[in-house]
Amino acid sequence: MDDFVDFVLNVRKVCASTDLTKTPVHLVIGNESCDLDSMVCAFGLAYYHHQIKNKRSNADQCCTVLPVLNIPMKCFVSRTENCYVLKQFGITETDLLFRDSLDFEAIKNGGQLSVSIVDHHVLRDEDKFLEQSVIEVYDHRPRDPTANWNTNIASLVIEEVGSCATLISQKLLTHDILTGPLAELLHDVIIFDTVAFSAKAQKARELDISVSKQLQQQFGISCIPQHRFDQLWNVHNDISSLTPGQLLFKDLKFVDDFPVAGLPMLVREFLQFSDVHEHLLAFCDETQRATVVVMGLKVVGDEVFRDIAIFSKSDKETRELLVNSLKANLDLGVTEDTVSVPDITYLMQNNVKMSRKQIVPIIKSLRRYE
């Protein structure tokens, strides 16, 4: 069996057979959306640390390295493309570790914890207690000015490339710690995140392209990028087995205190589902938030469409602040329109080049000046 696949398949077993409060533990934690990039990067970086830390000759220095998918296990079914790529290697959700699989605080209190975070560089409020344990940060988003890491403790690799998988691939290629399946997964992610290196999408950077070529040449990867992207995109958009509630958790990120749910369809289409208001209310109850930002994305051929909605079950003032902040950003170019679902303000987005990555700072600035 491939060494990387064996590592992933055995992670849960190792966790179950080890007292994590009495041994050195290194957690590699992806972001809270657990998208394809976040998941594969967590696996790749964890495999790197597993190889490096456990090549030591002194058995007392061995470290349990665990990649953590930063969502509850029940939400994983909505990550359809994640399930799809793992199935190729015989990996299922029962082999993996999720946010609710571990007691982070108990492990930290054991006194031998170190942490890497990938595909994000700001800890959520509930994870701030991990800050002094973080030794490494990898991300490809614009740097958040509120993120003040102690660089004496944590090394930072934050570079605006198309995919965080590019940065992790570069590290693993440099240290010659890659196997065929891991290289395939990382290559898939780079293709997916850069929309097959499309010039029109304007996501790919020179490093994405050069690292992708290295993976292809070294591991004999011969797929046609556009064909592979289309496969993954079709799986991503296959929502036939998902409820409206599961769709809200499919690509969920938290921006400060706001949940921002990304949909593989336009919000206007999502609002056509029966009982969607009840699902939105239930989502707010489950996340313990009064307001949610919902962002829609639809791709038809070469055409991209985006829209946004802000739902608030009780806090109309916050909803208005969000709407006004988004309207005030002329680069975004939103236009308000009416919908039949109550408690929602719906916005058509005219500048489709602005993704959630660019909208996050707008939401964050609102939170700072509230």
Side-chain angles (χ1 to χ4, degrees):
M1 180 182 289
D2 176 81
D3 194 46
F4 163 71
V5 174
D6 185 60
F7 166 71
V8 176
L9 286 172
N10 281 287
V11 160
R12 199 173 185 93
K13 296 173 188 174
V14 169
C15 181
S17 63
T18 306
D19 185 344
L20 301 179
T21 65
K22 296 180 179 178
T23 186
V25 176
H26 186 80
L27 301 180
V28 182
I29 305 174
N31 71 39
E32 74 277 8
S33 76
C34 190
D35 57 8
L36 195 60
D37 195 17
S38 174
M39 179 188 76
V40 173
C41 286
F43 289 158
L45 192 57
Y47 180 66
Y48 166 83
H49 283 290
H50 171 72
Q51 293 290 94
I52 294 297
K53 294 178 186 294
N54 294 307
K55 280 184 176 177
R56 297 167 176 163
S57 58
N58 185 348
D60 292 336
Q61 294 297 311
C62 283
C63 180
T64 302
V65 181
L66 303 172
V68 181
L69 306 189
N70 202 2
I71 55 170
M73 184 176 182
K74 71 175 184 178
C75 294
F76 191 64
V77 67
S78 68
R79 276 60 170 183
T80 48
E81 64 272 27
N82 297 33
C83 297
Y84 173 77
V85 297
L86 293 183
K87 187 177 180 181
Q88 300 171 95
F89 304 108
I91 302 168
T92 70
E93 64 185 47
T94 58
D95 301 308
L96 309 176
L97 288 176
F98 294 90
R99 176 73 193 218
D100 51 354
S101 305
L102 299 172
D103 185 339
F104 288 177
E105 290 199 53
I107 298 171
K108 184 178 186 300
N109 291 339
Q112 301 182 74
L113 174 66
S114 57
V115 176
S116 297
I117 63 173
V118 293
D119 206 20
H120 63 305
H121 65 274
V122 178
L123 291 171
R124 289 171 57 183
D125 287 345
E126 52 263 52
D127 290 340
K128 291 293 187 185
F129 70 94
L130 293 173
E131 188 168 358
Q132 295 305 309
S133 300
V134 174
I135 63 165
E136 185 177 45
V137 178
Y138 278 86
D139 197 14
H140 66 120
R141 288 166 180 73
R143 190 182 290 251
D144 189 317
T146 66
N148 297 310
W149 291 98
N150 182 348
T151 53
N152 292 321
I153 300 172
S155 66
L156 306 182
V157 180
I158 302 175
E159 186 173 347
E160 290 186 49
V161 290
S163 177
C164 191
T166 295
L167 304 177
I168 300 301
S169 297
Q170 186 181 44
K171 181 183 183 75
L172 299 187
L173 284 164
T174 300
H175 291 272
D176 197 24
I177 298 179
L178 266 175
T179 73
L182 178 53
E184 285 183 46
L185 285 172
L186 289 163
H187 190 257
D188 275 350
V189 176
I190 296 170
I191 288 173
F192 192 65
D193 279 359
T194 62
V195 193
F197 312 109
S198 162
K200 189 169 185 177
Q202 297 184 353
K203 290 180 176 290
R205 301 293 183 266
E206 286 186 14
L207 188 61
D208 299 300
I209 296 168
S210 65
V211 166
S212 171
K213 287 180 178 176
Q214 279 185 269
L215 293 172
Q216 290 169 13
Q217 292 166 2
Q218 190 166 327
F219 294 93
I221 299 170
S222 59
C223 71
I224 298 171
Q226 188 60 55
H227 290 179
R228 187 55 174 162
F229 172 81
D230 290 342
Q231 280 182 315
L232 295 170
W233 187 247
N234 288 339
V235 174
H236 173 76
N237 290 320
D238 181 5
I239 58 172
S240 57
S241 63
L242 303 181
T243 67
Q246 288 173 324
L247 280 171
L248 289 169
F249 283 97
K250 180 174 173 61
D251 186 11
L252 175 64
K253 286 185 170 71
F254 284 83
V255 179
D256 289 346
D257 204 35
F258 290 117
V260 181
L263 300 177
M265 62 194 307
L266 289 176
V267 179
R268 185 180 286 281
E269 295 171 354
F270 174 75
L271 297 177
Q272 308 286 320
F273 286 120
S274 61
D275 302 325
V276 69
H277 187 261
E278 287 71 17
H279 283 288
L280 285 162
L281 288 171
F283 174 85
C284 286
D285 288 341
E286 190 163 349
T287 58
Q288 299 182 334
R289 303 296 194 277
T291 304
V292 56
V293 179
V294 186
M295 298 185 61
L297 169 65
K298 185 175 183 177
V299 180
V300 181
D302 289 336
E303 293 297 312
V304 176
F305 304 90
R306 295 183 185 272
D307 58 2
I308 306 170
I310 296 89
F311 173 84
S312 185
K313 67 174 186 176
S314 57
D315 190 353
K316 292 183 179 180
E317 183 179 350
T318 297
R319 187 167 84 222
E320 288 178 7
L321 283 169
L322 269 169
V323 169
N324 291 336
S325 184
L326 292 170
K327 282 182 175 180
N329 189 288
L330 299 180
D331 289 335
L332 185 58
V334 295
T335 306
E336 187 171 342
D337 200 2
T338 57
V339 291
S340 58
V341 179
D343 304 317
I344 273 189
T345 301
Y346 173 79
L347 302 169
M348 295 180 291
Q349 183 178 328
N350 299 310
N351 182 359
V352 296
K353 291 181 180 178
M354 289 190 71
S355 66
R356 180 165 55 184
K357 191 186 297 185
Q358 284 75 43
I359 293 173
V360 160
I362 302 173
I363 299 173
K364 277 184 167 291
S365 66
L366 166 70
R367 210 49 166 174
R368 277 199 296 275
Y369 297 115
E370 240 186 296

